[in-house]
Amino acid sequence: MHRIFGTPFAAVYPLYLAKVERKGRTKAELDAVVEWLTGFDDAALARQIESEATFEQFFAAAELNPAVTRITGVVCGVRVEEIEDPLMRRIRYLDKLVDELARGKALDKVLRV
């Protein structure tokens, strides 16, 4: 089991937020990305953060967007579509979306609309 699986999502969320805000993006845009991927609404996302759910618990409660297969590319030197472990793939999908947002990609492109 990878260490990140037991890490609380609430511990990483501020890092995601700092990353996108440094690049001129907003918390609302970050939340839109997380909610698009997971199916959470604002209240459900807040509950996940407040409860300090681990990444394993966070993604167990999520209903992934059916368009998730459109997320392709490299994160941390690994192609996300080639990651075999389903939980790690979901975490890397989130990393990829946050990276795209931080790089200035239009929100509708990040969300594969």
Side-chain angles (χ1 to χ4, degrees):
M1 187 165 128
H2 197 279
R3 187 176 75 191
I4 192 72
F5 297 174
T7 301
F9 176 76
V12 179
Y13 180 82
L15 303 175
Y16 288 147
L17 182 58
K19 180 177 189 168
V20 300
E21 286 182 337
R22 272 194 312 270
K23 301 295 184 165
R25 302 311 282 261
T26 66
K27 179 183 182 302
E29 290 173 309
L30 174 61
D31 289 351
V33 167
V34 174
E35 291 169 10
W36 176 88
L37 177 65
T38 61
F40 295 140
D41 59 15
D42 287 338
L45 178 57
R47 280 193 304 276
Q48 290 292 322
I49 292 169
E50 290 167 11
S51 72
E52 297 203 12
T54 65
F55 270 100
E56 187 171 20
Q57 295 164 332
F58 179 81
F59 280 107
E63 291 188 31
L64 288 188
N65 189 304
V68 74
T69 57
R70 295 185 199 160
I71 302 171
T72 60
V74 177
V75 175
C76 298
V78 179
R79 295 201 69 76
V80 293
E81 60 271 24
E82 294 175 0
I83 297 172
E84 291 186 25
D85 184 282
L87 178 54
M88 183 59 78
R89 187 177 325 113
R90 290 176 179 143
I91 293 168
R92 293 304 183 199
Y93 282 152
L94 180 56
D95 290 343
K96 179 71 175 165
L97 295 176
V98 171
D99 285 351
E100 290 176 357
L101 185 65
R103 282 194 315 239
K105 199 171 189 180
L107 187 59
D108 64 331
K109 299 287 184 189
V110 174
L111 301 181
R112 279 52 181 179
V113 177

